[in-house]
Structures are given as C-alpha cells and as structure tokens.
PDB file of all heavy atoms in Angstrom:
ATOM      1  N   GLY M   1     -28.127-170.243-125.600  1.00 87.00           N
ATOM      2  CA  GLY M   1     -27.719-171.328-126.364  1.00 87.00           C
ATOM      3  C   GLY M   1     -28.502-172.605-126.188  1.00 87.00           C
ATOM      4  O   GLY M   1     -28.112-173.703-126.619  1.00 87.00           O
ATOM      5  N   SER M   2     -29.644-172.519-125.614  1.00 84.00           N
ATOM      6  CA  SER M   2     -30.477-173.636-125.353  1.00 84.00           C
ATOM      7  C   SER M   2     -31.474-173.941-126.556  1.00 84.00           C
ATOM      8  O   SER M   2     -31.882-175.159-126.658  1.00 84.00           O
ATOM      9  CB  SER M   2     -31.228-173.629-124.020  1.00 84.00           C
ATOM     10  OG  SER M   2     -32.156-172.552-124.090  1.00 84.00           O
ATOM     11  N   HIS M   3     -31.721-173.025-127.296  1.00 86.00           N
ATOM     12  CA  HIS M   3     -32.712-173.131-128.415  1.00 86.00           C
ATOM     13  C   HIS M   3     -32.252-172.281-129.610  1.00 86.00           C
ATOM     14  O   HIS M   3     -31.573-171.312-129.535  1.00 86.00           O
ATOM     15  CB  HIS M   3     -34.092-172.626-128.015  1.00 86.00           C
ATOM     16  CG  HIS M   3     -34.735-173.529-126.955  1.00 86.00           C
ATOM     17  ND1 HIS M   3     -34.418-173.465-125.700  1.00 86.00           N
ATOM     18  CD2 HIS M   3     -35.813-174.381-127.058  1.00 86.00           C
ATOM     19  CE1 HIS M   3     -35.235-174.297-124.902  1.00 86.00           C
ATOM     20  NE2 HIS M   3     -36.022-174.912-125.838  1.00 86.00           N
ATOM     21  N   THR M   4     -32.621-172.824-130.849  1.00 88.00           N
ATOM     22  CA  THR M   4     -32.468-172.132-132.083  1.00 88.00           C
ATOM     23  C   THR M   4     -33.807-172.140-132.776  1.00 88.00           C
ATOM     24  O   THR M   4     -34.417-173.179-133.074  1.00 88.00           O
ATOM     25  CB  THR M   4     -31.410-172.772-132.924  1.00 88.00           C
ATOM     26  OG1 THR M   4     -30.121-172.801-132.295  1.00 88.00           O
ATOM     27  CG2 THR M   4     -31.151-172.050-134.248  1.00 88.00           C
ATOM     28  N   TYR M   5     -34.342-170.927-133.052  1.00 91.00           N
ATOM     29  CA  TYR M   5     -35.629-170.795-133.600  1.00 91.00           C
ATOM     30  C   TYR M   5     -35.638-170.462-135.140  1.00 91.00           C
ATOM     31  O   TYR M   5     -36.697-170.657-135.813  1.00 91.00           O
ATOM     32  CB  TYR M   5     -36.512-169.700-132.823  1.00 91.00           C
ATOM     33  CG  TYR M   5     -36.708-170.116-131.422  1.00 91.00           C
ATOM     34  CD1 TYR M   5     -35.858-169.658-130.424  1.00 91.00           C
ATOM     35  CD2 TYR M   5     -37.694-170.915-131.078  1.00 91.00           C
ATOM     36  CE1 TYR M   5     -36.091-170.021-129.120  1.00 91.00           C
ATOM     37  CE2 TYR M   5     -37.962-171.301-129.716  1.00 91.00           C
ATOM     38  CZ  TYR M   5     -37.091-170.775-128.737  1.00 91.00           C
ATOM     39  OH  TYR M   5     -37.286-171.123-127.545  1.00 91.00           O
ATOM     40  N   VAL M   6     -34.537-170.025-135.600  1.00 92.00           N
ATOM     41  CA  VAL M   6     -34.463-169.660-136.956  1.00 92.00           C
ATOM     42  C   VAL M   6     -33.190-170.311-137.608  1.00 92.00           C
ATOM     43  O   VAL M   6     -32.076-170.264-137.003  1.00 92.00           O
ATOM     44  CB  VAL M   6     -34.361-168.102-137.158  1.00 92.00           C
ATOM     45  CG1 VAL M   6     -34.409-167.751-138.618  1.00 92.00           C
ATOM     46  CG2 VAL M   6     -35.542-167.443-136.436  1.00 92.00           C
ATOM     47  N   GLN M   7     -33.385-170.768-138.839  1.00 93.00           N
ATOM     48  CA  GLN M   7     -32.201-171.414-139.538  1.00 93.00           C
ATOM     49  C   GLN M   7     -32.103-170.721-140.912  1.00 93.00           C
ATOM     50  O   GLN M   7     -33.169-170.288-141.485  1.00 93.00           O
ATOM     51  CB  GLN M   7     -32.421-172.944-139.716  1.00 93.00           C
ATOM     52  CG  GLN M   7     -32.587-173.524-138.428  1.00 93.00           C
ATOM     53  CD  GLN M   7     -33.060-174.997-138.567  1.00 93.00           C
ATOM     54  OE1 GLN M   7     -33.462-175.449-139.692  1.00 93.00           O
ATOM     55  NE2 GLN M   7     -33.093-175.771-137.489  1.00 93.00           N
ATOM     56  N   TYR M   8     -30.959-170.725-141.471  1.00 95.00           N
ATOM     57  CA  TYR M   8     -30.793-170.210-142.785  1.00 95.00           C
ATOM     58  C   TYR M   8     -29.772-171.077-143.571  1.00 95.00           C
ATOM     59  O   TYR M   8     -28.874-171.660-142.940  1.00 95.00           O
ATOM     60  CB  TYR M   8     -30.379-168.715-142.809  1.00 95.00           C
ATOM     61  CG  TYR M   8     -28.910-168.398-142.311  1.00 95.00           C
ATOM     62  CD1 TYR M   8     -27.906-168.290-143.176  1.00 95.00           C
ATOM     63  CD2 TYR M   8     -28.812-168.117-140.934  1.00 95.00           C
ATOM     64  CE1 TYR M   8     -26.627-167.925-142.680  1.00 95.00           C
ATOM     65  CE2 TYR M   8     -27.529-167.881-140.502  1.00 95.00           C
ATOM     66  CZ  TYR M   8     -26.499-167.758-141.352  1.00 95.00           C
ATOM     67  OH  TYR M   8     -25.198-167.442-140.893  1.00 95.00           O
ATOM     68  N   LYS M   9     -29.914-171.153-144.913  1.00 95.00           N
ATOM     69  CA  LYS M   9     -29.031-171.932-145.726  1.00 95.00           C
ATOM     70  C   LYS M   9     -28.525-171.049-146.830  1.00 95.00           C
ATOM     71  O   LYS M   9     -29.357-170.454-147.564  1.00 95.00           O
ATOM     72  CB  LYS M   9     -29.790-173.154-146.288  1.00 95.00           C
ATOM     73  CG  LYS M   9     -28.986-174.000-147.138  1.00 95.00           C
ATOM     74  CD  LYS M   9     -29.715-175.262-147.534  1.00 95.00           C
ATOM     75  CE  LYS M   9     -28.794-176.121-148.453  1.00 95.00           C
ATOM     76  NZ  LYS M   9     -29.443-177.350-148.858  1.00 95.00           N
ATOM     77  N   LEU M  10     -27.243-170.954-146.983  1.00 95.00           N
ATOM     78  CA  LEU M  10     -26.629-170.035-148.024  1.00 95.00           C
ATOM     79  C   LEU M  10     -26.516-170.891-149.320  1.00 95.00           C
ATOM     80  O   LEU M  10     -26.234-172.067-149.283  1.00 95.00           O
ATOM     81  CB  LEU M  10     -25.211-169.597-147.600  1.00 95.00           C
ATOM     82  CG  LEU M  10     -25.113-168.759-146.422  1.00 95.00           C
ATOM     83  CD1 LEU M  10     -23.579-168.545-146.002  1.00 95.00           C
ATOM     84  CD2 LEU M  10     -25.762-167.442-146.552  1.00 95.00           C
ATOM     85  N   HIS M  11     -26.879-170.141-150.404  1.00 93.00           N
ATOM     86  CA  HIS M  11     -26.754-170.761-151.727  1.00 93.00           C
ATOM     87  C   HIS M  11     -25.802-169.912-152.489  1.00 93.00           C
ATOM     88  O   HIS M  11     -26.044-168.682-152.850  1.00 93.00           O
ATOM     89  CB  HIS M  11     -28.107-170.763-152.429  1.00 93.00           C
ATOM     90  CG  HIS M  11     -29.117-171.653-151.726  1.00 93.00           C
ATOM     91  ND1 HIS M  11     -29.219-172.961-152.009  1.00 93.00           N
ATOM     92  CD2 HIS M  11     -29.994-171.410-150.789  1.00 93.00           C
ATOM     93  CE1 HIS M  11     -30.141-173.498-151.185  1.00 93.00           C
ATOM     94  NE2 HIS M  11     -30.682-172.502-150.448  1.00 93.00           N
ATOM     95  N   ILE M  12     -24.622-170.417-152.871  1.00 92.00           N
ATOM     96  CA  ILE M  12     -23.584-169.659-153.549  1.00 92.00           C
ATOM     97  C   ILE M  12     -23.203-170.567-154.775  1.00 92.00           C
ATOM     98  O   ILE M  12     -22.816-171.710-154.594  1.00 92.00           O
ATOM     99  CB  ILE M  12     -22.416-169.432-152.658  1.00 92.00           C
ATOM    100  CG1 ILE M  12     -22.786-168.765-151.352  1.00 92.00           C
ATOM    101  CG2 ILE M  12     -21.310-168.652-153.326  1.00 92.00           C
ATOM    102  CD1 ILE M  12     -21.764-168.864-150.262  1.00 92.00           C
ATOM    103  N   SER M  13     -23.272-169.902-155.956  1.00 88.00           N
ATOM    104  CA  SER M  13     -22.938-170.661-157.198  1.00 88.00           C
ATOM    105  C   SER M  13     -21.427-170.663-157.235  1.00 88.00           C
ATOM    106  O   SER M  13     -20.697-169.676-157.065  1.00 88.00           O
ATOM    107  CB  SER M  13     -23.581-170.132-158.448  1.00 88.00           C
ATOM    108  OG  SER M  13     -23.106-168.782-158.648  1.00 88.00           O
ATOM    109  N   SER M  14     -20.830-171.821-157.724  1.00 86.00           N
ATOM    110  CA  SER M  14     -19.392-171.887-157.808  1.00 86.00           C
ATOM    111  C   SER M  14     -18.837-171.104-159.089  1.00 86.00           C
ATOM    112  O   SER M  14     -17.614-170.636-159.024  1.00 86.00           O
ATOM    113  CB  SER M  14     -18.951-173.367-157.905  1.00 86.00           C
ATOM    114  OG  SER M  14     -19.594-174.000-159.020  1.00 86.00           O
ATOM    115  N   ASP M  15     -19.659-170.983-160.057  1.00 87.00           N
ATOM    116  CA  ASP M  15     -19.200-170.270-161.237  1.00 87.00           C
ATOM    117  C   ASP M  15     -19.608-168.813-161.267  1.00 87.00           C
ATOM    118  O   ASP M  15     -19.266-168.133-162.205  1.00 87.00           O
ATOM    119  CB  ASP M  15     -19.685-170.956-162.476  1.00 87.00           C
ATOM    120  CG  ASP M  15     -21.191-171.122-162.569  1.00 87.00           C
ATOM    121  OD1 ASP M  15     -21.895-170.610-161.611  1.00 87.00           O
ATOM    122  OD2 ASP M  15     -21.758-171.698-163.538  1.00 87.00           O
ATOM    123  N   GLY M  16     -20.391-168.345-160.300  1.00 78.00           N
ATOM    124  CA  GLY M  16     -20.854-166.965-160.204  1.00 78.00           C
ATOM    125  C   GLY M  16     -21.961-166.668-161.149  1.00 78.00           C
ATOM    126  O   GLY M  16     -22.244-165.442-161.473  1.00 78.00           O
ATOM    127  N   SER M  17     -22.602-167.586-161.739  1.00 86.00           N
ATOM    128  CA  SER M  17     -23.724-167.340-162.678  1.00 86.00           C
ATOM    129  C   SER M  17     -24.980-166.712-162.066  1.00 86.00           C
ATOM    130  O   SER M  17     -25.670-165.931-162.649  1.00 86.00           O
ATOM    131  CB  SER M  17     -24.149-168.592-163.490  1.00 86.00           C
ATOM    132  OG  SER M  17     -24.605-169.525-162.580  1.00 86.00           O
ATOM    133  N   THR M  18     -25.218-167.059-160.815  1.00 90.00           N
ATOM    134  CA  THR M  18     -26.333-166.543-160.044  1.00 90.00           C
ATOM    135  C   THR M  18     -25.801-165.841-158.774  1.00 90.00           C
ATOM    136  O   THR M  18     -24.915-166.313-158.165  1.00 90.00           O
ATOM    137  CB  THR M  18     -27.405-167.592-159.657  1.00 90.00           C
ATOM    138  OG1 THR M  18     -26.728-168.555-158.839  1.00 90.00           O
ATOM    139  CG2 THR M  18     -27.916-168.266-160.845  1.00 90.00           C
ATOM    140  N   PRO M  19     -26.433-164.713-158.432  1.00 92.00           N
ATOM    141  CA  PRO M  19     -25.966-164.002-157.258  1.00 92.00           C
ATOM    142  C   PRO M  19     -26.342-164.853-156.011  1.00 92.00           C
ATOM    143  O   PRO M  19     -27.271-165.632-155.994  1.00 92.00           O
ATOM    144  CB  PRO M  19     -26.787-162.750-157.214  1.00 92.00           C
ATOM    145  CG  PRO M  19     -27.928-162.977-158.142  1.00 92.00           C
ATOM    146  CD  PRO M  19     -27.548-164.028-159.060  1.00 92.00           C
ATOM    147  N   PRO M  20     -25.440-164.703-154.857  1.00 94.00           N
ATOM    148  CA  PRO M  20     -25.731-165.443-153.742  1.00 94.00           C
ATOM    149  C   PRO M  20     -27.076-165.129-153.011  1.00 94.00           C
ATOM    150  O   PRO M  20     -27.440-163.978-153.114  1.00 94.00           O
ATOM    151  CB  PRO M  20     -24.589-165.198-152.818  1.00 94.00           C
ATOM    152  CG  PRO M  20     -24.037-163.948-153.345  1.00 94.00           C
ATOM    153  CD  PRO M  20     -24.273-163.895-154.778  1.00 94.00           C
ATOM    154  N   PHE M  21     -27.721-166.081-152.421  1.00 95.00           N
ATOM    155  CA  PHE M  21     -28.916-165.824-151.723  1.00 95.00           C
ATOM    156  C   PHE M  21     -29.055-166.725-150.525  1.00 95.00           C
ATOM    157  O   PHE M  21     -28.172-167.749-150.403  1.00 95.00           O
ATOM    158  CB  PHE M  21     -30.153-165.945-152.490  1.00 95.00           C
ATOM    159  CG  PHE M  21     -30.396-167.267-153.127  1.00 95.00           C
ATOM    160  CD1 PHE M  21     -31.217-168.249-152.498  1.00 95.00           C
ATOM    161  CD2 PHE M  21     -29.827-167.591-154.360  1.00 95.00           C
ATOM    162  CE1 PHE M  21     -31.382-169.468-153.047  1.00 95.00           C
ATOM    163  CE2 PHE M  21     -30.083-168.836-154.908  1.00 95.00           C
ATOM    164  CZ  PHE M  21     -30.822-169.884-154.251  1.00 95.00           C
ATOM    165  N   ALA M  22     -29.906-166.480-149.589  1.00 96.00           N
ATOM    166  CA  ALA M  22     -30.148-167.351-148.392  1.00 96.00           C
ATOM    167  C   ALA M  22     -31.578-167.741-148.310  1.00 96.00           C
ATOM    168  O   ALA M  22     -32.458-166.790-148.529  1.00 96.00           O
ATOM    169  CB  ALA M  22     -29.598-166.608-147.172  1.00 96.00           C
ATOM    170  N   ASP M  23     -31.852-168.943-147.952  1.00 95.00           N
ATOM    171  CA  ASP M  23     -33.212-169.357-147.590  1.00 95.00           C
ATOM    172  C   ASP M  23     -33.356-169.339-146.090  1.00 95.00           C
ATOM    173  O   ASP M  23     -32.500-169.943-145.389  1.00 95.00           O
ATOM    174  CB  ASP M  23     -33.504-170.760-148.190  1.00 95.00           C
ATOM    175  CG  ASP M  23     -33.712-170.791-149.655  1.00 95.00           C
ATOM    176  OD1 ASP M  23     -34.184-169.713-150.179  1.00 95.00           O
ATOM    177  OD2 ASP M  23     -33.521-171.751-150.274  1.00 95.00           O
ATOM    178  N   ILE M  24     -34.349-168.653-145.573  1.00 95.00           N
ATOM    179  CA  ILE M  24     -34.581-168.593-144.139  1.00 95.00           C
ATOM    180  C   ILE M  24     -35.769-169.418-143.725  1.00 95.00           C
ATOM    181  O   ILE M  24     -36.839-169.344-144.379  1.00 95.00           O
ATOM    182  CB  ILE M  24     -34.784-167.117-143.719  1.00 95.00           C
ATOM    183  CG1 ILE M  24     -33.560-166.294-144.145  1.00 95.00           C
ATOM    184  CG2 ILE M  24     -35.035-166.929-142.245  1.00 95.00           C
ATOM    185  CD1 ILE M  24     -33.691-164.793-144.031  1.00 95.00           C
ATOM    186  N   ILE M  25     -35.479-170.334-142.803  1.00 92.00           N
ATOM    187  CA  ILE M  25     -36.497-171.238-142.386  1.00 92.00           C
ATOM    188  C   ILE M  25     -36.825-171.034-140.939  1.00 92.00           C
ATOM    189  O   ILE M  25     -35.970-170.953-140.082  1.00 92.00           O
ATOM    190  CB  ILE M  25     -36.008-172.693-142.619  1.00 92.00           C
ATOM    191  CG1 ILE M  25     -35.654-172.969-144.046  1.00 92.00           C
ATOM    192  CG2 ILE M  25     -37.024-173.801-142.158  1.00 92.00           C
ATOM    193  CD1 ILE M  25     -34.457-173.758-144.259  1.00 92.00           C
ATOM    194  N   ILE M  26     -38.113-170.933-140.619  1.00 88.00           N
ATOM    195  CA  ILE M  26     -38.559-170.880-139.223  1.00 88.00           C
ATOM    196  C   ILE M  26     -39.280-172.110-138.944  1.00 88.00           C
ATOM    197  O   ILE M  26     -40.405-172.428-139.462  1.00 88.00           O
ATOM    198  CB  ILE M  26     -39.465-169.627-139.001  1.00 88.00           C
ATOM    199  CG1 ILE M  26     -38.723-168.351-139.493  1.00 88.00           C
ATOM    200  CG2 ILE M  26     -39.939-169.515-137.548  1.00 88.00           C
ATOM    201  CD1 ILE M  26     -39.654-167.114-139.582  1.00 88.00           C
ATOM    202  N   PRO M  27     -38.770-172.994-138.075  1.00 82.00           N
ATOM    203  CA  PRO M  27     -39.547-174.239-137.765  1.00 82.00           C
ATOM    204  C   PRO M  27     -40.856-173.980-137.279  1.00 82.00           C
ATOM    205  O   PRO M  27     -41.099-173.053-136.506  1.00 82.00           O
ATOM    206  CB  PRO M  27     -38.609-174.961-136.731  1.00 82.00           C
ATOM    207  CG  PRO M  27     -37.234-174.290-136.922  1.00 82.00           C
ATOM    208  CD  PRO M  27     -37.461-172.892-137.422  1.00 82.00           C
ATOM    209  N   GLY M  28     -41.837-174.809-137.761  1.00 79.00           N
ATOM    210  CA  GLY M  28     -43.167-174.609-137.440  1.00 79.00           C
ATOM    211  C   GLY M  28     -43.926-173.761-138.329  1.00 79.00           C
ATOM    212  O   GLY M  28     -45.217-173.669-138.454  1.00 79.00           O
ATOM    213  N   ASN M  29     -43.144-172.968-139.229  1.00 81.00           N
ATOM    214  CA  ASN M  29     -43.755-172.210-140.281  1.00 81.00           C
ATOM    215  C   ASN M  29     -43.479-172.802-141.619  1.00 81.00           C
ATOM    216  O   ASN M  29     -42.406-173.024-141.996  1.00 81.00           O
ATOM    217  CB  ASN M  29     -43.193-170.770-140.246  1.00 81.00           C
ATOM    218  CG  ASN M  29     -43.813-169.829-141.051  1.00 81.00           C
ATOM    219  OD1 ASN M  29     -44.559-170.099-142.086  1.00 81.00           O
ATOM    220  ND2 ASN M  29     -43.717-168.470-140.764  1.00 81.00           N
ATOM    221  N   PRO M  30     -44.595-173.126-142.333  1.00 82.00           N
ATOM    222  CA  PRO M  30     -44.368-173.874-143.641  1.00 82.00           C
ATOM    223  C   PRO M  30     -43.703-173.007-144.718  1.00 82.00           C
ATOM    224  O   PRO M  30     -43.300-173.505-145.758  1.00 82.00           O
ATOM    225  CB  PRO M  30     -45.767-174.306-144.014  1.00 82.00           C
ATOM    226  CG  PRO M  30     -46.621-173.343-143.423  1.00 82.00           C
ATOM    227  CD  PRO M  30     -46.000-173.035-142.115  1.00 82.00           C
ATOM    228  N   THR M  31     -43.607-171.717-144.496  1.00 86.00           N
ATOM    229  CA  THR M  31     -43.126-170.823-145.514  1.00 86.00           C
ATOM    230  C   THR M  31     -41.638-170.642-145.401  1.00 86.00           C
ATOM    231  O   THR M  31     -41.116-170.536-144.215  1.00 86.00           O
ATOM    232  CB  THR M  31     -43.868-169.433-145.315  1.00 86.00           C
ATOM    233  OG1 THR M  31     -45.254-169.656-145.344  1.00 86.00           O
ATOM    234  CG2 THR M  31     -43.467-168.520-146.475  1.00 86.00           C
ATOM    235  N   THR M  32     -40.854-170.635-146.508  1.00 91.00           N
ATOM    236  CA  THR M  32     -39.507-170.351-146.586  1.00 91.00           C
ATOM    237  C   THR M  32     -39.347-168.939-147.122  1.00 91.00           C
ATOM    238  O   THR M  32     -40.007-168.615-148.144  1.00 91.00           O
ATOM    239  CB  THR M  32     -38.741-171.390-147.445  1.00 91.00           C
ATOM    240  OG1 THR M  32     -38.969-172.699-146.855  1.00 91.00           O
ATOM    241  CG2 THR M  32     -37.240-171.193-147.446  1.00 91.00           C
ATOM    242  N   PHE M  33     -38.467-168.150-146.583  1.00 94.00           N
ATOM    243  CA  PHE M  33     -38.254-166.807-147.022  1.00 94.00           C
ATOM    244  C   PHE M  33     -36.817-166.715-147.653  1.00 94.00           C
ATOM    245  O   PHE M  33     -35.951-167.501-147.267  1.00 94.00           O
ATOM    246  CB  PHE M  33     -38.321-165.806-145.849  1.00 94.00           C
ATOM    247  CG  PHE M  33     -39.719-165.881-145.220  1.00 94.00           C
ATOM    248  CD1 PHE M  33     -39.850-166.753-144.103  1.00 94.00           C
ATOM    249  CD2 PHE M  33     -40.676-165.148-145.648  1.00 94.00           C
ATOM    250  CE1 PHE M  33     -41.077-166.778-143.493  1.00 94.00           C
ATOM    251  CE2 PHE M  33     -41.944-165.134-145.043  1.00 94.00           C
ATOM    252  CZ  PHE M  33     -42.104-166.006-143.955  1.00 94.00           C
ATOM    253  N   ARG M  34     -36.682-165.840-148.690  1.00 94.00           N
ATOM    254  CA  ARG M  34     -35.453-165.766-149.438  1.00 94.00           C
ATOM    255  C   ARG M  34     -35.037-164.361-149.470  1.00 94.00           C
ATOM    256  O   ARG M  34     -35.736-163.385-149.657  1.00 94.00           O
ATOM    257  CB  ARG M  34     -35.634-166.285-150.781  1.00 94.00           C
ATOM    258  CG  ARG M  34     -34.414-166.231-151.686  1.00 94.00           C
ATOM    259  CD  ARG M  34     -34.529-166.942-152.948  1.00 94.00           C
ATOM    260  NE  ARG M  34     -34.518-168.340-152.730  1.00 94.00           N
ATOM    261  CZ  ARG M  34     -34.638-169.288-153.639  1.00 94.00           C
ATOM    262  NH1 ARG M  34     -34.793-168.997-154.918  1.00 94.00           N
ATOM    263  NH2 ARG M  34     -34.614-170.568-153.295  1.00 94.00           N
TER     264      ARG M  34
END
C-alpha cells in the first residue's frame, strides 16, 4: 500500500452510445493504453 504504479480511468457513456472502455496510465510512460 505504499506505492501505486498503474492508474486507470473508466469511460462509460450515460446513453450507451459507445461501449465502455478504460484508459490505462503508467506514470513515467508517455503512452496511454486503452
């Protein structure tokens, strides 16, 4: 519990027009993965 190396953000549309997805962020890495 002392460190977190990976973060993710959920994207959910309220009207269901787009399927849900998550953006995965690794601090120190400029690339975001989906």
